C-alpha cells in the first residue's frame, strides 16, 4: 500500500511545487493624461506643451517637446511640505513612503446622493469587516466615482463657476477619519479621485494639514479606480523628483501579483504544499507503525 | 528509528514553511533630482522652477510651485515616437512595457579606459555565463560608472565644450547589441547611466532608431546603479504621462523582494522545502520497505 500512496504523493507535491512557481503579475495605470485638458486649482498657471521638433531629419524621424505645469494639477502627489513648514519636499520623501498595499474605499453611492460627502470612520470599519484589517503602511484611496467625470471641469468641481472655490462641491476625506488611519493603521498615503483630499466646501483644508503634519503623502485625481480590486494590490505613487517641490505630477499605478497575495496573507499553494508534505510523512509513519503491530 | 526521524523532519518542514512566509520588500530610487542642475542636450530650453507660494497663510503653511522642463533631460524616458514616425507617444506606451526584470551590465572598467565604449554582445554573453539567461521583457541597463559624474556637465558629456555634441565622449550601447537583445531576449527597455543610448561620438543615433522602430523604451541618466544587484530586481520606469510626448521626466526605481526572486525561479527556500518533503517521504518509504524485508 505504501508503495502505491508514496509515488502518488511525490507526483502531487512536484505538481504543486511547479504550480507554485507560476506567478501572475499585472500593472494597472491609475493616471490621467497630462495635457491641455488637465484640471488645476483656480489661480494656477495653465499647462503648456510646446513642440521643439517633429519631423524627418536627414537620417531619422525626430520628435521632442517642452512642458510647463503647476505641481498640483491632474493626477499628482501632495508632498508634506505642501501644508506644513519643514515637511518633506518632493525629493526628500523616502522612496518606500511612495509605495504600499492598496486599499480602495468605495463611497460611490453616498457621493452620488451627497457631493459634499466626506469619508467617515464608519466606511473604514465597514471595509475592514469585509476585507479584514487594513495592513500597515497602506495607500488608502477614496473611490467616489468622480474619476469618470474627469476632465469635465464643471462636473469635477461640482459647480458652474469653476473659478470660484467657495462654490465647489466634490467628496473627499473627513480629517478625523484620516487622523484615525494615521494613528491606528500607520498609513503612508491617502488618496482621492477628486481634486483635493479636503472636500469642495472646505476653506481651511484640515485634511491637508493633518496629512502634511504627519509626513503622509496625498494623492489627488487618481484615475481608473474601478479597474483594481479594493484589496490585494500594491500602489506606487511615482512622483516627478522635483527638488524643493511641494508635490508634482505623478505616475500612479497598481501592481497585482499572486506573490503579493502571498505576502499580504496566505499563499493559495504554499500552505497546501506544506500541509501535504506533513500528511505524506504522517501517512508513511502510521503505516510504518501499523506494520510494527503486524509483526 | 522512524519515530525519531519523522518528528525531526516535521519540525524542519514547519520551520522552513514559516521562513518561507517571511518576505522582504525593498524599493530603491534610480532617479536624479529634477533641478536647475539637471543636464539637457544642447539646444533644449533650460529648466524653470517658480515658487507660486511659500509661507504662512491665515490658518496653515502653504507651498506651491510651477516647473518647466524639456522632455529629454536628467533621468528620463525616450518614448518610441522620439526617433520613429508613428511609434508610441508617451501616453500610448502600455503600462506593462514600463516594467520588467532588471539586468545591469557593468562596463565600468572598459568605460574607464575608453569613454567611447559601446556595450558589445560579448558583455551580454559574459553576463549570462555568470547570471543565467536574460529573462524575456527585461529592462537591460548599462552601468558605466557615469552616474557618479552627474550633474558635472563637462564630466558627464566628456568635453570642455558641452554645447558642441561633436566633442562628446561618453559610453552607451552598440546598435548590434541592442538589436540582438530585441530579437533574442525580447527586451522592453534599454537603459544607460549616460545622457544617451547612443555614445557621445554618434551623429546618426542608430541605437535610438532601432529602439524606437521596435517600440522599445529608452532610459537615460539612470542613477544609483551601484545600489542594486545586477539581477533579481524589477525595474519600473514611471514616466510623466505627457499626452503626445516623445518621452518625459521619469521616476525610475527598482524593487527587490524575496517573492520576485522566487518568480525568477531562484527561490531560496521554496526548492529546499520541496526537496525536503520528497526526502521525508523517501526515507519513510525506504524504512517501510526495509521492515518488509525484516518480516
Amino acid at each position: 500500500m505504501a508503495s502505491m500512496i508514496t509515488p502518488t504523493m511525490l507526483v502531487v507535491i512536484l505538481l504543486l511545487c511547479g504550480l507554485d512557481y507560476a506567478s501572475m503579475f499585472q500593472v494597472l495605470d491609475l493616471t490621467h493624461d497630462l495635457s491641455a485638458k488637465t484640471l488645476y486649482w483656480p489661480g494656477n498657471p495653465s499647462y503648456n506643451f510646446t513642440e521643439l521638433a517633429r519631423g524627418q531629419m536627414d537620417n531619422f524621424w525626430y520628435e521632442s517637446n517642452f512642458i510647463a505645469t503647476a505641481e498640483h494639477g491632474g493626477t499628482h502627489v501632495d508632498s508634506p511640505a505642501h501644508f506644513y513648514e519643514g515637511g518633506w519636499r518632493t525629493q526628500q520623501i523616502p522612496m518606500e513612503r511612495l509605495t504600499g498595499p492598496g486599499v480602495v474605499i468605495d463611497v460611490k453611492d453616498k457621493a452620488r446622493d451627497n457631493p459634499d460627502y466626506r469619508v467617515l470612520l464608519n466606511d473604514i470599519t465597514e471595509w475592514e469587516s469585509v476585507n479584514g484589517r487594513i495592513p500597515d503602511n497602506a495607500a488608502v484611496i477614496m473611490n467616489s466615482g468622480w474619476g469618470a467625470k474627469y476632465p469635465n471641469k464643471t462636473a469635477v468641481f461640482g459647480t458652474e463657476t469653476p473659478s470660484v472655490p467657495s462654490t465647489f462641491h466634490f467628496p473627499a476625506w473627513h480629517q478625523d477619519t484620516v487622523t484615525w488611519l494615521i494613528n491606528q493603521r500607520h498609513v503612508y498615503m491617502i488618496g482621492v479621485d477628486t481634486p483635493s483630499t479636503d472636500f469642495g466646501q472646505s476653506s481651511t483644508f484640515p485634511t491637508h494639514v493633518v496629512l502634511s503634519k504627519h509626513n503622509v503623502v496625498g494623492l489627488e485625481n487618481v484615475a481608473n479606480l474601478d479597474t483594481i480590486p479594493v484589496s490585494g494590490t500594491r500602489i506606487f505613487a511615482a512622483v516627478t523628483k522635483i527638488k524643493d517641490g511641494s508635490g508634482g505630477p505623478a505616475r500612479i499605478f497598481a501592481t497585482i501579483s499572486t506573490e503579493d497575495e502571498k505576502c499580504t496573507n496566505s499563499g493559495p499553494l504554499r500552505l497546501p504544499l506544506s500541509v501535504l508534505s506533513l500528511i505524506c510523512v504522517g501517512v508513511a509513519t502510521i503505516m510504518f507503525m501499523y506494520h510494527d503491530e503486524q509483526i
Side-chain angles (χ1 to χ4, degrees), chain A residues 136-238:
Chain A
D136 279 2
N137 309 333
V140 184
I141 308 174
M142 172 191 77
N143 180 1
S144 68
W146 247 245
K149 304 174 191 274
Y150 194 95
N152 180 325
K153 199 168 188 176
T154 56
V156 168
F157 286 107
T159 174
E160 288 307 314
T161 55
S163 61
V164 186
S166 62
T167 66
F168 289 178
H169 295 279
F170 57 78
W173 287 89
H174 192 291
Q175 66 271 25
D176 296 346
T177 315
V178 166
T179 302
W180 187 89
L181 285 168
I182 292 169
N183 295 330
Q184 302 303 317
R185 295 295 180 266
H186 316 292
V187 291
Y188 275 175
M189 295 183 270
I190 289 287
V192 288
D193 56 353
T194 55
S196 172
T197 50
D198 280 289
F199 77 135
Q201 281 293 293
S202 175
S203 58
T204 55
F205 306 102
T207 298
H208 278 83
V209 172
V210 72
L211 289 176
S212 289
K213 190 171 182 174
H214 292 86
N215 271 331
V216 172
V217 169
L219 313 177
E220 295 174 333
N221 294 313
V222 181
N224 310 324
L225 287 169
D226 288 332
T227 64
I228 63 169
V230 297
S231 73
T233 67
R234 171 171 286 277
I235 300 292
F236 291 90

Side-chain angles (χ1 to χ4, degrees), chain A residues 18-250:
Chain A
L19 285 174
D20 208 15
Y21 276 110
S23 76
M24 178 270 291
F25 184 81
Q26 266 184 295
V27 53
L28 296 153
D29 196 9
L30 305 177
T31 314
H32 295 296
D33 290 358
L34 187 62
S35 77
K37 292 181 178 167
T38 293
L39 298 183
Y40 295 91
W41 201 263
N44 277 296
S46 56
Y47 176 72
N48 177 279
F49 176 91
T50 303
E51 282 183 23
L52 299 175
R54 182 173 295 187
Q56 185 63 39
M57 310 286 133
D58 294 351
N59 304 302
F60 48 80
W61 178 266
Y62 184 67
E63 294 188 17
S64 182
N65 311 289
F66 180 82
I67 62 159
T69 179
E71 292 170 328
H72 301 276
T75 303
H76 71 282
V77 152
D78 283 357
S79 304
H82 189 32
F83 273 77
Y84 194 71
E85 185 173 15
W88 285 324
R89 290 187 173 145
T90 306
Q91 87 284 7
Q92 296 171 318
I93 303 169
M95 197 72 219
E96 58 270 22
R97 287 295 197 119
L98 295 171
T99 180
V103 170
V104 177
I105 309 295
D106 188 322
V107 296
K108 289 205 282 288
D109 295 343
K110 290 157 178 167
R112 198 178 295 110
D113 301 339
N114 172 18
D116 298 322
Y117 188 74
R118 286 178 288 175
V119 181
L120 303 175
L121 185 54
N122 199 33
D123 297 308
I124 303 300
T125 48
E126 264 177 36
W127 188 96
E128 289 195 334
S129 69
V130 176
N131 304 285
R133 182 187 166 97
I134 290 173
D136 279 2
N137 309 333
V140 184
I141 308 174
M142 172 191 77
N143 180 1
S144 68
W146 247 245
K149 304 174 191 274
Y150 194 95
N152 180 325
K153 199 168 188 176
T154 56
V156 168
F157 286 107
T159 174
E160 288 307 314
T161 55
S163 61
V164 186
S166 62
T167 66
F168 289 178
H169 295 279
F170 57 78
W173 287 89
H174 192 291
Q175 66 271 25
D176 296 346
T177 315
V178 166
T179 302
W180 187 89
L181 285 168
I182 292 169
N183 295 330
Q184 302 303 317
R185 295 295 180 266
H186 316 292
V187 291
Y188 275 175
M189 295 183 270
I190 289 287
V192 288
D193 56 353
T194 55
S196 172
T197 50
D198 280 289
F199 77 135
Q201 281 293 293
S202 175
S203 58
T204 55
F205 306 102
T207 298
H208 278 83
V209 172
V210 72
L211 289 176
S212 289
K213 190 171 182 174
H214 292 86
N215 271 331
V216 172
V217 169
L219 313 177
E220 295 174 333
N221 294 313
V222 181
N224 310 324
L225 287 169
D226 288 332
T227 64
I228 63 169
V230 297
S231 73
T233 67
R234 171 171 286 277
I235 300 292
F236 291 90
V239 62
T240 307
K241 199 175 180 181
I242 300 167
K243 183 167 189 297
D244 295 335
S246 70

